[in-house]
Amino acid sequence: MKILSANIYGFGKWQDQQIDFRDKGLVIVSGENESGKSTLRQFILFILFGFPPKKRESYLPKTGGKMGGRLKVSTREQGIFTIERIHDRNNGAAVCFLTNGVTEDEKWLKESIGGIDYRTFQSIFSFNSSDLNQLHTIKADQLGEVLLGIGMTGSDQIYQTEKKLDSHLNQMFKPQGKKPEVNEQLINLEEIKKRLNDLKTEENSYHEKKNLETKVIEEIDELQQELTIWKKKQLYIEKQIQVSPLLNEFHETHQQLCLYKKDGEFPENGIDRYNYLKEQLMPLKSEFSVLKDNEQNYLTELERIKQLLWDPEILEEAYILSEKSGEYSQSLNEIEYLFTEISKIKKELTNDIDQLQIGLRMEDVKDLSLPFHVEETWNQLKNEKQRLSMDQENVDSETKSIEHQMKNVEESNQRINSELLPLETINDYKQKLNSHENQTKLQLFNDYNHNQKNKWQKESGQRIKQSNIVVIVCLLLSLIGVGTFLVTEINSLLILSIVLILFGIIQRLFVKNSNQRMERILNQAQTVSNSELKLEDEQFKEINTILSEQEKYLTELEKGEDDYQKLRIEQLKIEEKRIFFKTKQENLAVQIDEQIKLYPFLESVDSDYWPKLYHILITVIQRWSKITNLESAIEENKKQLTGYENEITVFFQNNDFESPQKETSEKFTFLRQLIDQQMKYKSNLEQYQEWQKQVHDLQRKITQRMKPYHEEIESLWKHASVEDEENFIKKGNNKNNQQKLENRIADIKSQLSQVLSQSELENASVKQPNEQELKLEAGIITDYLEEIELNLEGKRQALADVKALLVKMEGREDYSIVKHKFHLEQDFLKKQAKKWAVYQLAKQMLGETKQTFQKNYLPKVIKSTAYYFKQLTNNKYTNVFAPSEGDPIQVENHFGIRFNVNELSQGTSDQLYMCLRIALSEVVNEDYQLPFFIDDAFVHFDENRTKIMVKLLKKIGNEQQVILFTCRNSNEFSEEEIMDLQLV
């Protein structure tokens, strides 16, 4: 991903600002303290990942306005798109605008950046100077674990987590301990179990009493169930005694109802339905009678209208003739219009000819002919004349420009010649510079020889000391060997002693000869001297400046001479153009004379105006042609008028129509009035025919509407098995009486249902009850219920005695409480064991994860770190080694000597950690293409390593965008890379 530009609506001190990141790999954001660098960095993070509401409020603009903005970015997968995030819109959620017009949400943005969140980005792709101190705040044996955590998560969280897991495991359980939580719980559980065994013996007698209690309770339940059943029977008998009058009335009413049911069926609400049908038929019959009267009136009027109508053929002929009245009026108007147009055109034509003032007359226009090619010829002559005029002006202008340039070049060459030094002086300066360079090289060579000689003298003394120590050790060992030989008489010890003595002497001689050879070599490298004088720095710079200026003057002089020759050639070319244009002007004059011979009136007109004159003449010719056409049209219209007059006169004569008018136009008007009258008759005829049809339709519809009512009446009579109205009404009255009896039975059932249940009501409706028998049965049931209650009271007393004994036994510390406590403690132990197992499993999985990272990712990070650290230290440190068990991270210099990280200087250790973070970002960036933020991390960098670091960041920027926030305005940064916030 690359950040292309930012549009800040409002964020902290920034408001209504446009910032362009210029699509560069390395962007340097420079500015003094409180210039807004950190705020700009937080704005980018806010747009990419969002902030919680409280954190967003801390960046609200102090001067008001909305807080948020836009960020234009580019990715490999999605291309260029814009991210917008506003504080008080969508709860701070992002909206992404793609180039194809599609809008996406926060979820799409997170997928586009690989699922990276704010914390992960800060840990891997962003750091500042305070992060560099992390290597100095941890112990050496912890450094490997911390770097491992940074490699996996971007922080030391894994190392801290592992320490917490070890602490939790030790607090919960130790195999030989007593204070941890699990150990204490095991001891407590053993004590409770011992108490539980003591109480188990007392439980046996308790169970016997408990079984007796259960048995008595069951007997009480059985007696209560039996008591309930007999009470229900007693209640049923009492209900029957209470409702016996209603039951007797029910049976009597039911017997009367059975008599009416023999009378046969009758429609439901038959009388009401019959009366309703008669009421509906009355208005329909009245309406049918009115329609019959209307039908007779329409027939009389139709006969009268038919006698007044013309024959259809005569009406059609009159209609066609009346249509021609419009054409007749149009022809009259057309003739009048044509005479007006002819007069108008002649007047315009006369004005056009007079305005030309070229001696052209009206009679000449009749014979004037301009072929189509004349316009093109006149345009060519005009354009050729104008083009030759412009070319002549261009030639004159170019001639003046060339002369002016040649003059400037001559003056420049004269000025440069005056500034040039003599050739002998320049050669003398060059010889002095060469001598100065030779003196500098000799000085460096002598210094190197002197340093090498001092170094060898120190090293030679150390080698001699080491050789002497070896000789002494060999002598001591040989003496010990000889003494042992004298005691044990083992020959091998004597031989070994002699070998040790010879080895010590030989290595001492070898070291001595080696030192002597090296001293001879160094003595041979004598210090080279030179009698030439070395220039001072100011003299060297002055001479070097003079020679640079002279070289510049010589280059400018050569360029000036070349320019002068080129201008001379251009001057000759322009002169050739001038001759060519003169020949073309002569040819143009001949062509103009030929056109004047063909059209004499052109002699008084300049050739530049010929194309315009051509269009005017074409207009004059067209107007004359239009006058001729209009006169022909007048003759045609006069012929049409004569034909119309003859046609209408013949029509009136043939049909014996007398017209009071004599003018043709008035005859047409009278004819139109007659036609309108006939159309009115025809319309009235159609209207009456339509009304007659509507009357027939209405009669048919009323008949259809009456039919269902008649059918319904017949259906009612048929259902009641009668043939006339009188029998139907009589049978209906009987049906009403039957309905009243049924309603009374329903009322009695409703009253009984409030006292008796549904089943009891059904039993009572079958048989009529006897009140005396019911009272006798009620007395027997009452006696039996009293006996059951006495037996139940005895059982309850026995149950109370057993419960009192059980309460007394349960008053002591009983077995159930201890057993319950034992199970609670046992469950608590299981939870502790499960928690300990979870911690143990987490620690095991963390270890496996560390091993996977050590094998797959850490070597890549360390290898990349070594590469960058080697470049940054200018090959002083050539390798970096990952931390091993008990050892911190190490670096190796070009002599092969290794150093721990805590042995390095503050600046070098910062540089090592920075290389490590860059390498980590590079490895992670293979999967997540995100920019890299660095905030003032060059605090302990010297000038040389700052330059190298900038070059490395430029190289990294080719693959991954790097944004460096700094308050330093170093010369190592190009103007294109630096974005000064003070200028924004």
Side-chain angles (χ1 to χ4, degrees):
M1 172 187 284
K2 277 191 176 181
I3 299 173
L4 304 179
S5 64
N7 184 1
I8 307 175
Y9 303 156
F11 194 87
K13 70 170 289 181
W14 295 102
Q15 193 163 12
D16 296 331
Q17 291 291 340
Q18 293 276 355
I19 299 177
D20 184 9
F21 290 91
R22 308 175 187 175
D23 194 15
K24 299 292 183 180
L26 174 61
V27 179
I28 312 297
V29 181
S30 175
E32 298 178 354
N33 293 333
E34 297 186 358
S35 61
K37 300 188 301 297
S38 298
T39 305
L40 177 59
R41 177 186 174 203
Q42 291 298 320
F43 169 77
I44 297 173
L45 295 176
F46 164 68
I47 296 295
L48 290 176
F49 305 104
F51 287 165
K54 288 186 178 179
K55 188 172 182 180
R56 293 202 302 265
E57 290 176 359
S58 62
Y59 289 102
L60 289 173
K62 303 300 183 183
T63 58
K66 60 182 178 180
M67 177 267 200
R70 287 190 172 200
L71 205 63
K72 187 176 182 181
V73 301
S74 173
T75 63
R76 293 180 182 176
E77 294 78 8
Q78 306 298 338
I80 298 175
F81 60 94
T82 302
I83 310 167
E84 183 181 57
R85 196 185 295 270
I86 299 175
H87 165 63
D88 55 357
R89 187 181 299 173
N90 299 329
N91 196 21
V95 179
C96 301
F97 301 95
L98 279 62
T99 55
N100 59 3
V102 177
T103 302
E104 299 291 351
D105 56 5
E106 182 89 31
K107 183 180 179 182
W108 182 88
L109 173 60
K110 193 167 185 180
E111 292 175 355
S112 299
I113 60 178
I116 295 291
D117 58 8
Y118 172 78
R119 183 176 180 182
T120 306
F121 182 86
Q122 283 286 81
S123 301
I124 297 176
F125 296 99
S126 176
F127 70 92
N128 52 30
S129 58
S130 61
D131 295 333
L132 299 178
N133 295 325
Q134 191 172 7
L135 287 174
H136 307 289
T137 59
I138 56 177
K139 298 179 181 178
D141 57 347
Q142 299 172 347
L143 182 59
E145 297 292 332
V146 173
L147 289 179
L148 173 63
I150 293 172
M152 296 176 68
T153 66
S155 66
D156 61 347
Q157 187 175 0
I158 288 182
Y159 173 71
Q160 299 296 336
T161 302
E162 192 170 18
K163 287 181 65 178
K164 289 181 180 178
L165 286 174
D166 289 335
S167 175
H168 284 307
L169 288 171
N170 291 331
Q171 289 177 3
M172 293 191 68
F173 177 72
K174 288 183 180 179
Q176 305 299 328
K178 292 184 179 181
K179 290 185 178 181
E181 297 175 3
V182 176
N183 298 78
E184 290 180 353
Q185 187 64 19
L186 287 171
I187 295 171
N188 187 26
L189 202 61
E190 286 294 330
E191 294 176 355
I192 296 173
K193 187 175 181 181
K194 183 178 179 181
R195 175 62 181 163
L196 188 64
N197 292 331
D198 294 340
L199 293 173
K200 192 172 184 179
T201 306
E202 300 178 3
E203 186 186 16
N204 295 329
S205 61
Y206 175 80
H207 283 305
E208 293 176 359
K209 301 294 182 183
K210 200 71 177 174
N211 292 334
L212 178 60
E213 179 188 19
T214 303
K215 183 179 179 181
V216 174
I217 291 173
E218 290 175 354
E219 291 176 352
I220 292 173
D221 290 340
E222 291 175 358
L223 288 172
Q224 287 179 340
Q225 291 176 2
E226 187 178 3
L227 181 64
T228 302
I229 293 170
W230 281 102
K231 281 187 175 182
K232 287 182 179 179
K233 289 182 179 181
Q234 183 185 31
L235 180 62
Y236 177 65
I237 297 298
E238 291 175 352
K239 288 180 179 179
Q240 283 188 320
I241 295 171
Q242 180 182 356
V243 298
S244 58
L246 285 174
L247 287 172
N248 292 330
E249 184 182 357
F250 173 79
H251 286 283
E252 292 174 358
T253 307
H254 190 267
Q255 290 174 1
Q256 294 177 7
L257 182 62
C258 291
L259 297 176
Y260 282 108
K261 289 185 177 179
K262 296 177 181 179
D263 198 16
E265 295 184 359
F266 189 81
E268 186 72 24
N269 298 324
I271 298 297
D272 295 337
R273 289 163 61 188
Y274 183 74
N275 293 330
Y276 172 75
L277 293 173
K278 288 177 68 177
E279 290 176 359
Q280 296 298 320
L281 280 172
M282 286 179 65
L284 293 177
K285 290 179 179 180
S286 176
E287 186 177 355
F288 188 80
S289 176
V290 172
L291 290 174
K292 278 289 185 182
D293 295 338
N294 291 339
E295 182 181 10
Q296 186 61 39
N297 296 331
Y298 294 157
L299 289 172
T300 303
E301 189 65 26
L302 284 172
E303 290 297 329
R304 186 186 68 81
I305 294 173
K306 286 179 180 179
Q307 294 176 0
L308 297 174
L309 284 173
W310 289 352
D311 187 70
E313 294 179 357
I314 297 174
L315 182 63
E316 181 67 22
E317 183 181 359
Y319 181 76
I320 293 172
L321 187 59
S322 68
E323 291 294 328
K324 294 181 180 180
S325 65
E327 297 177 4
Y328 180 82
S329 299
Q330 185 177 358
S331 297
L332 288 174
N333 295 332
E334 185 72 18
I335 291 172
E336 184 179 356
Y337 170 74
L338 292 174
F339 277 116
T340 304
E341 283 295 309
I342 290 173
S343 176
K344 181 180 177 182
I345 294 171
K346 284 184 177 180
K347 185 177 180 180
E348 292 176 351
L349 185 59
T350 303
N351 291 335
D352 290 343
I353 294 173
D354 293 341
Q355 288 179 0
L356 289 175
Q357 296 181 358
I358 57 175
L360 193 65
R361 298 174 301 171
M362 184 75 73
E363 293 77 7
D364 298 333
V365 175
K366 298 179 182 179
D367 302 327
L368 181 62
S369 175
L370 294 175
F372 68 91
H373 59 80
V374 172
E375 180 183 10
E376 183 178 357
T377 302
W378 289 3
N379 278 323
Q380 288 177 355
L381 293 174
K382 173 190 173 183
N383 294 335
E384 183 67 17
K385 182 178 179 182
Q386 292 177 349
R387 185 164 52 251
L388 288 174
S389 177
M390 291 176 62
D391 291 340
Q392 186 63 39
E393 292 176 359
N394 291 337
V395 168
D396 295 339
S397 176
E398 290 176 0
T399 301
K400 292 180 181 179
S401 175
I402 292 296
E403 291 175 352
H404 180 70
Q405 292 179 27
M406 292 176 68
K407 183 178 179 182
N408 290 338
V409 171
E410 290 176 354
E411 292 176 354
S412 177
N413 290 342
Q414 291 176 0
R415 180 182 56 79
I416 292 172
N417 284 324
S418 64
E419 295 291 338
L420 285 174
L421 295 174
L423 183 62
E424 295 81 4
T425 304
I426 294 173
N427 292 333
D428 183 40
Y429 283 156
K430 288 182 178 179
Q431 186 176 2
K432 287 181 180 181
L433 287 178
N434 292 333
S435 174
H436 178 79
E437 291 177 357
N438 293 333
Q439 287 293 325
T440 303
K441 292 178 181 178
L442 288 174
Q443 182 65 36
L444 292 173
F445 180 73
N446 291 333
D447 293 341
Y448 176 77
N449 284 340
H450 180 70
N451 292 334
Q452 288 294 107
K453 187 173 182 181
N454 292 336
K455 184 177 179 182
W456 170 250
Q457 288 175 355
K458 294 179 181 179
E459 188 176 348
S460 174
Q462 292 179 355
R463 293 182 65 185
I464 291 172
K465 289 180 181 179
Q466 292 174 355
S467 177
N468 293 334
I469 292 171
V470 172
V471 171
I472 293 171
V473 171
C474 290
L475 288 175
L476 291 174
L477 292 175
S478 61
L479 290 174
I480 294 171
V482 171
T484 307
F485 168 73
L486 294 175
V487 176
T488 60
E489 295 183 356
I490 298 174
N491 294 330
S492 60
L493 293 175
L494 180 61
I495 295 171
L496 181 60
S497 300
I498 295 170
V499 170
L500 287 172
I501 293 172
L502 292 175
F503 174 77
I505 294 171
I506 290 171
Q507 69 88 23
R508 180 69 180 82
L509 293 174
F510 176 78
V511 171
K512 182 178 180 182
N513 292 333
S514 176
N515 290 344
Q516 290 175 354
R517 285 197 302 273
M518 183 57 68
E519 287 178 359
R520 286 197 298 272
I521 291 171
L522 292 174
N523 290 330
Q524 288 175 0
Q526 298 296 327
T527 303
V528 180
S529 61
N530 196 323
S531 59
E532 295 179 356
L533 294 176
K534 185 178 180 181
L535 295 174
E536 297 294 335
D537 290 341
E538 294 182 357
Q539 292 178 340
F540 174 76
K541 291 180 180 179
E542 183 180 358
I543 293 173
N544 201 9
T545 303
I546 292 172
L547 291 177
S548 298
E549 291 177 352
Q550 291 300 310
E551 289 291 334
K552 182 179 178 182
Y553 291 150
L554 289 173
T555 303
E556 291 178 355
L557 184 60
E558 292 176 359
K559 182 177 180 299
E561 292 176 351
D562 292 340
D563 292 342
Y564 187 81
Q565 292 299 326
K566 291 177 181 178
L567 292 173
R568 181 59 183 163
I569 294 170
E570 288 295 327
Q571 190 178 30
L572 294 175
K573 290 180 179 179
I574 292 170
E575 189 62 30
E576 291 176 357
K577 286 182 182 180
R578 189 189 302 277
I579 296 171
F580 174 72
F581 292 149
K582 185 176 181 181
T583 303
K584 292 187 73 174
Q585 287 175 348
E586 293 173 354
N587 294 333
L588 177 63
V590 173
Q591 294 177 8
I592 291 173
D593 291 339
E594 290 176 354
Q595 291 297 316
I596 292 174
K597 289 178 182 179
L598 292 173
Y599 305 102
F601 56 82
L602 293 177
E603 186 173 3
S604 60
V605 182
D606 189 271
S607 60
D608 289 341
Y609 300 101
W610 287 3
K612 185 175 180 181
L613 177 63
Y614 174 83
H615 291 291
I616 296 173
L617 292 175
I618 289 294
T619 304
V620 170
I621 294 171
Q622 289 175 349
R623 285 178 176 170
W624 181 259
S625 177
K626 192 173 181 181
I627 290 172
T628 304
N629 294 333
L630 292 174
E631 289 175 348
S632 300
I634 289 171
E635 294 299 325
E636 290 294 329
N637 285 318
K638 287 180 178 180
K639 291 178 181 180
Q640 290 180 3
L641 290 176
T642 304
Y644 293 145
E645 291 172 357
N646 294 333
E647 284 184 19
I648 195 167
T649 302
V650 171
F651 176 78
F652 278 102
Q653 291 174 357
N654 291 338
N655 294 291
D656 297 330
F657 293 151
E658 292 183 2
S659 174
Q661 294 84 9
K662 294 182 180 182
E663 294 294 332
T664 303
S665 58
E666 294 177 349
K667 289 180 180 180
F668 273 114
T669 303
F670 179 68
L671 178 62
R672 188 66 213 173
Q673 292 174 356
L674 294 176
I675 292 172
D676 290 341
Q677 189 178 30
Q678 288 296 313
M679 294 303 295
K680 185 177 180 181
Y681 289 153
K682 187 176 181 181
S683 176
N684 291 337
L685 179 66
E686 292 175 353
Q687 181 67 48
Y688 280 110
Q689 288 175 344
E690 179 65 24
W691 286 346
Q692 186 181 23
K693 183 180 178 182
Q694 289 177 2
V695 166
H696 284 299
D697 291 341
L698 289 172
Q699 288 177 353
R700 181 178 52 80
K701 289 179 181 180
I702 290 172
T703 304
Q704 290 294 112
R705 289 168 62 189
M706 293 169 64
K707 184 178 179 181
Y709 296 121
H710 289 298
E711 291 176 350
E712 182 67 19
I713 290 173
E714 292 177 359
S715 175
L716 289 174
W717 288 359
K718 186 177 180 181
H719 191 192
S721 302
V722 296
E723 295 181 355
D724 54 19
E725 183 178 357
E726 182 179 355
N727 290 327
F728 181 81
I729 293 173
K730 181 179 179 181
K731 199 168 185 178
N733 293 331
N734 292 337
K735 186 67 176 178
N736 289 337
N737 294 331
Q738 180 183 351
Q739 186 66 38
K740 290 178 181 180
L741 293 174
E742 290 176 352
N743 292 337
R744 178 55 186 164
I745 290 174
D747 292 339
I748 293 172
K749 284 185 176 182
S750 177
Q751 294 178 22
L752 292 173
S753 64
Q754 296 178 3
V755 180
L756 302 177
S757 64
Q758 184 65 30
S759 59
E760 292 172 349
L761 181 60
E762 291 176 357
N763 293 332
S765 61
V766 174
K767 181 181 178 182
Q768 189 171 358
N770 189 330
E771 189 174 355
Q772 296 297 328
E773 292 178 358
L774 292 173
K775 289 181 179 180
L776 180 61
E777 187 177 357
I780 296 171
I781 291 173
T782 301
D783 294 339
Y784 186 70
L785 287 173
E786 290 177 356
E787 183 180 350
I788 292 174
E789 287 178 352
L790 288 173
N791 192 8
L792 183 61
E793 185 64 28
K795 294 294 182 182
R796 286 174 176 169
Q797 184 61 44
L799 178 62
D801 295 340
V802 173
K803 284 186 174 182
L805 184 60
L806 288 173
V807 169
K808 186 177 180 181
M809 293 177 69
E810 291 171 353
R812 299 189 301 270
E813 184 180 4
D814 55 11
Y815 175 75
S816 60
I817 295 175
V818 178
K819 186 176 181 180
H820 178 67
K821 185 177 180 182
F822 175 76
H823 286 300
L824 289 177
E825 296 296 333
Q826 194 175 38
D827 291 340
F828 182 67
L829 178 62
K830 288 180 181 179
K831 291 180 181 178
Q832 288 180 316
K834 184 178 180 180
K835 186 177 180 181
W836 179 85
V838 170
Y839 285 140
Q840 188 68 24
L841 179 62
K843 182 178 179 183
Q844 182 181 352
M845 292 177 68
L846 187 60
E848 293 174 358
T849 305
K850 287 163 56 179
Q851 291 177 1
T852 301
F853 177 80
Q854 290 277 9
K855 181 179 180 181
N856 297 333
Y857 294 100
L858 191 58
K860 294 181 182 179
V861 176
I862 295 300
K863 182 178 179 181
S864 183
T865 302
Y867 170 78
Y868 288 123
F869 195 55
K870 181 179 179 181
Q871 298 293 323
L872 184 59
T873 59
N874 199 15
N875 297 325
K876 181 175 181 180
Y877 296 98
T878 59
N879 207 348
V880 178
F881 298 95
S884 57
E885 296 182 0
D887 295 326
I889 190 170
Q890 293 182 337
V891 298
E892 184 180 79
N893 65 6
H894 60 283
F895 293 116
I897 300 174
R898 295 189 181 184
F899 299 92
N900 292 336
V901 67
N902 52 6
E903 295 176 344
L904 301 175
S905 66
Q906 174 73 37
T908 305
S909 62
D910 284 355
Q911 292 151 17
L912 173 61
Y913 182 73
M914 188 169 181
C915 292
L916 182 63
R917 289 301 300 269
I918 293 173
L920 174 63
S921 171
E922 186 180 67
V923 172
V924 175
N925 199 50
E926 295 176 0
D927 299 321
Y928 305 100
Q929 297 291 331
L930 292 172
F932 194 54
F933 289 0
I934 304 175
D935 191 356
D936 267 341
F938 299 160
V939 177
H940 298 106
F941 281 38
D942 58 26
E943 183 177 356
N944 184 37
R945 291 192 177 178
T946 301
K947 292 180 180 179
I948 299 173
M949 189 70 243
V950 172
K951 291 179 180 179
L952 289 176
L953 292 178
K954 289 179 181 178
K955 184 177 181 182
I956 295 168
N958 295 330
E959 301 294 332
Q960 178 185 10
Q961 187 182 35
V962 179
I963 301 178
L964 174 61
F965 299 88
T966 180
C967 60
R968 301 171 63 178
N969 192 5
S970 176
N971 295 327
E972 296 81 18
F973 308 145
S974 66
E975 293 182 359
E976 296 180 354
E977 295 167 344
I978 295 178
M979 183 173 64
D980 193 344
L981 294 184
Q982 295 177 355
L983 302 178
V984 174

